[in-house]
């Protein structure tokens, strides 16, 4: 037997870890690998293979190079600019549009293109981004993509922390062969896909659901799971914690997470027959999984791009409906403190974000003045848009939340918030 798996083996290990035990599965669905950064041509050429009926993307929201205010392609994005000046593209959008251009030129039927990323209306957004990209050099291609390619929406849910050395050792001990890239995951998995026309694998046999409209699943996942993840990432880092499970161990933080989901995010979800109460409690259980070390630093990456769909959109809807959203504002305030490194009595931790230099600069300019820090942050139209920063109640409450976090630290700020809202309920 060989001692290590090789990419050409097409195998990878999935380590499933849960409160009821662990298991390892070897997945053998990969039949070939083309790595675009090394050989973009190989990937582009695959598009015209008539056997390719589906192209799926799992590249995280940053991989779409979008302008967060308009959700359209940001043509000035460095990755897009680099593509436009190179002989072959290397961005995800560039490869996709370049591949579709080859299919169009060859007069072939296009593949179905499916986004598996955490973006609201991911299929629609991807279609528009692909059309925008094509229109940069070929209007006819842009029109063909818009009218002939199917871009179904989908919602994928499975918590998978970054692979660690320990995961590699575990995989090697379990299998007797070294795998440099095992995937460690929780037992839970869900994939909901918008119906589309044409042949496809029988994914439903493995539990995927095909539905006419993904919106209710997508909205509850983005606002409850991903939105709360962001709140946990920034408030937890300020509290000096490392993982999501550690955050949930503290009853004050757990009560905050539940209140955030049920009182502030739930009223903003589209009407559906889904049991949101049960979903929120199931999330708490999943996050508490002691065998999954989901790092806060990873969950909090690229917050400036995720704030709008996961937190700010619901703040706006709540304010417009006359509801307050103190838990959400505290999460947004925690991002401002972490990214600007103005943490007051909280713990400092490195935050990874494309806007980190701007955030550091405004942190330096604001010093310890919470009002100035908030005002400077709200000038970032690409993060906050132009509507919310003009709403007086939003500005005042956010400034207060930033000040509270800096003065009291996250735990005391949350305890005070919970005590206040309990008072309101009496
Ligand atoms: C997380 C997600 O990092 C993040 O943005 O919220 O990766 C989350 O773990 C997955 O969406 C779970 O399905």
């Amino acid at each position: 037997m060989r001692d290590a798996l090789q990419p050409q083996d097409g195998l990878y290990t999935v380590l499933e870890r849960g409160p009821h035990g662990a298991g390892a599965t070897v997945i053998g669905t990969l039949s070939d690998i083309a790595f675009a950064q090394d050989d973009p041509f190989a990937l582009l050429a695959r598009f015209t293979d008539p056997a390719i009926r589906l192209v799926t993307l799992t590249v995280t929201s940053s991989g779409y190079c979008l302008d967060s205010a308009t959700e359209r392609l940001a043509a000035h994005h460095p990755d897009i600019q680099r593509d436009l000046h190179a002989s072959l593209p290397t961005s995800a959008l560039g490869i996709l549009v370049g591949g579709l251009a080859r299919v169009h030129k060859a007069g072939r039927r296009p593949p179905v293109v499916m986004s598996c990323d955490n973006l609201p209306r991911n299929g629609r957004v991807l279609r528009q981004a692909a059309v925008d990209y094509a229109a940069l050099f070929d209007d006819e291609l842009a029109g063909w993509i818009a009218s002939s390619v199917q871009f179904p929406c989908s919602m994928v849910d499975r918590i998978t922390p970054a692979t660690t050395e320990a995961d590699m050792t575990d995989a090697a001990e379990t299998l007797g062969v070294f795998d440099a890239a095992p995937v460690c995951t929780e037992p839970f998995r869900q994939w909901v896909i918008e119906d589309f026309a044409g042949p496809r694998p029988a994914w439903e046999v493995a539990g995927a659901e095909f539905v006419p409209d993904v919106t209710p699943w997508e909205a509850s996942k983005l606002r409850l799971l991903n939105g709360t993840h962001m709140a946990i990432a920034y408030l937890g880092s300020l509290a000096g914690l490392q993982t999501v499970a550690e955050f949930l161990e503290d009853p004050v933080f757990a009560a905050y997470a539940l209140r955030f989901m049920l009182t502030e995010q739930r009223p903003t979800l589209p009407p559906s027959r889904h049991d949101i109460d049960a979903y929120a409690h199931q999330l708490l259980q999943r996050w508490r999984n002691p065998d999954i070390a989901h790092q806060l630093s990873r969950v909090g990456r690229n917050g400036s791009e995720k704030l709008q769909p996961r937190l700010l959109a619901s703040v706006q809807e709540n304010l417009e409906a006359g509801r307050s959203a103190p838990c959400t504002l505290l999460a947004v305030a925690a991002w401002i403190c972490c990214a600007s490194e103005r943490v007051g009595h909280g713990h400092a931790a490195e935050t990874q974000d494309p806007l980190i230099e701007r955030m550091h600069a405004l942190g330096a300019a604001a010093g310890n003045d919470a009002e100035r820090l908030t005002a400077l942050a709200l000038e970032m139209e690409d993060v906050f848009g132009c509507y919310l920063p003009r709403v007086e109640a939003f500005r005042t409450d956010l400034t207060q939340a930033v000040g509270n976090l800096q003065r009291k630290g996250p735990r005391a700020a949350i305890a005070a918030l919970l005590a206040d809202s309990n008072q309101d309920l009496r």
Side-chain angles (χ1 to χ4, degrees):
M1 197 214 283
R2 283 212 320 269
D3 13 317
L5 290 181
Q6 303 298 326
Q8 60 272 20
D9 292 329
L11 302 172
Y12 66 98
T13 318
V14 173
L15 298 166
E16 203 169 280
R17 304 187 199 276
H20 306 297
T25 316
V26 177
I27 308 281
T29 48
L30 297 177
S31 65
D32 197 4
I33 293 173
F35 184 43
Q37 305 304 315
D38 288 349
D39 187 0
F41 183 77
L43 197 50
L44 285 166
R46 294 308 295 269
F47 276 76
T48 45
D49 177 343
I52 303 288
R53 312 302 280 265
L54 277 152
V55 174
T56 66
L57 274 87
T58 308
V59 295
T60 81
S61 44
S62 332
Y64 290 71
C65 306
L66 300 175
D67 173 322
S68 18
T70 60
E71 290 184 341
R72 304 277 297 257
L73 184 80
H76 57 267
H77 191 287
D79 292 359
I80 305 300
Q81 284 301 318
R82 196 182 49 228
D83 274 6
L84 295 176
H85 294 101
S87 53
L88 287 174
T90 44
S91 74
L93 258 295
I95 301 266
L96 175 65
V97 174
L100 290 174
R102 283 168 156 74
V103 174
H104 182 44
K105 196 162 164 222
R108 295 247 166 82
R109 178 190 44 199
V112 173
V113 180
M114 188 193 301
S115 165
C116 296
D117 288 298
N118 290 320
L119 293 166
R121 304 173 312 284
N122 56 12
R124 307 291 173 272
V125 169
L126 177 57
R127 178 207 303 268
Q128 188 60 58
V131 168
D132 289 345
Y133 190 109
L136 293 174
F137 59 94
D138 184 346
D139 283 339
E140 207 267 318
L141 175 66
W144 177 78
I145 292 178
S147 61
S148 311
V149 184
Q150 297 181 80
F151 288 86
C153 291
S154 83
M155 185 284 275
V156 184
D157 187 9
R158 197 167 200 195
I159 295 173
T160 48
T163 301
T164 61
E165 295 279 333
D167 296 329
M168 291 187 228
T169 314
D170 273 12
E173 275 168 12
T174 316
L175 302 168
V177 55
F178 180 75
D179 180 352
V183 177
C184 168
T185 177
E186 62 172 341
F188 181 93
R189 59 179 172 177
Q190 191 177 26
W191 193 11
V192 185
I193 306 165
E194 185 180 15
D195 291 324
F196 59 86
R200 58 167 176 81
W203 283 325
E204 63 278 15
V205 174
E209 287 169 79
F210 284 86
V211 300
D213 181 8
V214 177
T215 314
W217 284 270
E218 175 202 271
S220 41
K221 196 224 163 185
L222 273 168
R223 296 217 170 159
L224 271 61
L225 193 162
N226 302 119
T228 316
H229 253 168
M230 288 187 82
I232 294 175
Y234 308 122
L235 290 163
S237 307
L238 289 174
L241 305 175
Q242 303 297 320
T243 67
V244 174
E246 277 170 23
F247 186 90
L248 271 309
E249 263 169 36
D250 184 322
V252 169
F253 289 155
Y256 162 87
L258 195 61
R259 184 176 290 267
F260 168 75
M261 290 192 278
L262 295 183
T263 318
E264 298 184 18
Q265 298 285 65
R266 173 165 53 187
T268 70
L269 298 177
S272 77
R273 297 208 315 272
H274 294 181
D275 183 344
I276 299 301
D277 202 73
Y279 180 65
H281 282 89
Q282 184 192 39
L283 284 176
L284 290 182
Q285 240 177 26
R286 289 171 59 197
W287 290 329
R288 284 193 172 115
N289 185 340
D291 302 316
I292 289 283
H294 205 189
Q295 297 296 325
L296 300 180
S297 54
R298 180 176 158 102
V299 178
R301 280 180 316 184
N302 306 335
S304 63
E305 291 168 348
K306 306 191 292 199
L307 231 46
Q308 176 56 37
R310 299 181 190 187
L311 299 175
L312 295 172
S314 74
V315 171
Q316 182 166 335
E317 285 166 43
N318 276 323
L319 290 181
E320 282 169 354
R323 292 182 296 255
S324 63
C327 295
T328 325
L329 287 176
L330 203 66
V332 176
W335 176 75
I336 295 179
C337 294
C338 288
S340 66
E341 292 191 331
R342 286 284 156 199
V343 298
H345 282 95
H347 285 73
E350 205 177 311
T351 312
Q352 200 184 316
D353 198 289
L355 300 188
I356 203 67
E357 279 166 25
R358 268 163 77 194
M359 286 305 287
H360 285 171
L362 65 88
N368 293 326
D369 182 341
E371 195 171 340
R372 185 152 161 70
L373 177 62
T374 315
L376 289 173
L378 290 180
E379 280 173 16
M380 301 172 80
E381 234 179 70
D382 41 351
V383 179
F384 290 95
C386 38
Y387 173 78
L388 275 177
R390 290 206 302 262
V391 177
E392 202 41 49
F394 175 74
R395 292 186 77 88
T396 324
D397 292 355
L398 186 62
T399 307
Q400 203 180 4
V402 169
N404 279 345
L405 275 177
Q406 291 180 332
R407 266 195 322 279
K408 303 181 185 173
R411 195 171 188 283
I414 287 179
L417 182 159
L418 294 177
D420 263 8
S421 18
N422 286 340
Q423 204 80 37
D424 291 349
L425 294 177
R426 264 178 234 137

